[in-house]
Amino acid sequence: MALIECSACKKRISSLAKSCQFCGVSQGEESEGTQKIRQINRASQLQTHSFIALTLFIAGVMIWFWGGEAAEGTRLYIGGACFVFGFIGYLITRIRIILNRRGKV
Ligand SMILES: [Zn+2]
């Protein structure tokens, strides 16, 4: 027996239960409308994430090349960290957006 999350109230319930013991919503019978709303919500959340990652990436580049000279010491590490995390974060978010559009949540 495993514990799953209720599709309505997000409380932990048994995967064997046909309906949630807390809110009574039946599990595994999600309407298409609910799924669509969930997908849209997820898409907008991912858009926000990709925006944050992109901002971090640009900030990293700016820190690095501030004043037209190559960064040194602490600034090099801060800029480099922003650059790398922003870039990786952006890539991951883009992949998740594509997967979300295909409906593989
Ligand atoms: Zn519930």
Side-chain angles (χ1 to χ4, degrees):
M1 189 190 85
L3 286 176
I4 56 160
E5 213 173 57
C6 169
S7 59
C9 68
K10 306 289 173 205
K11 280 183 178 139
R12 289 266 181 209
I13 56 165
S14 163
S15 60
L16 297 171
K18 286 192 178 72
S19 64
C20 175
Q21 65 197 80
F22 301 102
C23 66
V25 166
S26 58
Q27 302 300 306
E29 281 178 40
E30 216 170 48
S31 70
E32 224 167 274
T34 315
Q35 279 180 5
K36 197 81 196 160
I37 290 165
R38 193 196 294 269
Q39 200 182 350
I40 290 164
N41 285 341
R42 202 176 162 84
S44 72
Q45 194 185 27
L46 287 171
Q47 288 292 347
T48 312
H49 285 178
S50 79
F51 179 74
I52 292 167
L54 199 62
T55 308
L56 199 64
F57 175 76
I58 292 164
V61 174
M62 280 175 71
I63 291 166
W64 226 346
F65 297 107
W66 197 259
E69 48 191 82
E72 291 172 3
T74 316
R75 218 182 66 183
L76 180 72
Y77 290 115
I78 295 169
C82 287
F83 183 85
V84 170
F85 281 117
F87 185 71
I88 292 169
Y90 185 73
L91 277 183
I92 290 169
T93 316
R94 292 312 301 184
I95 292 165
R96 287 176 66 197
I97 287 170
I98 293 163
L99 291 178
N100 186 51
R101 280 203 189 127
R102 284 181 188 167
K104 288 174 192 164
V105 184

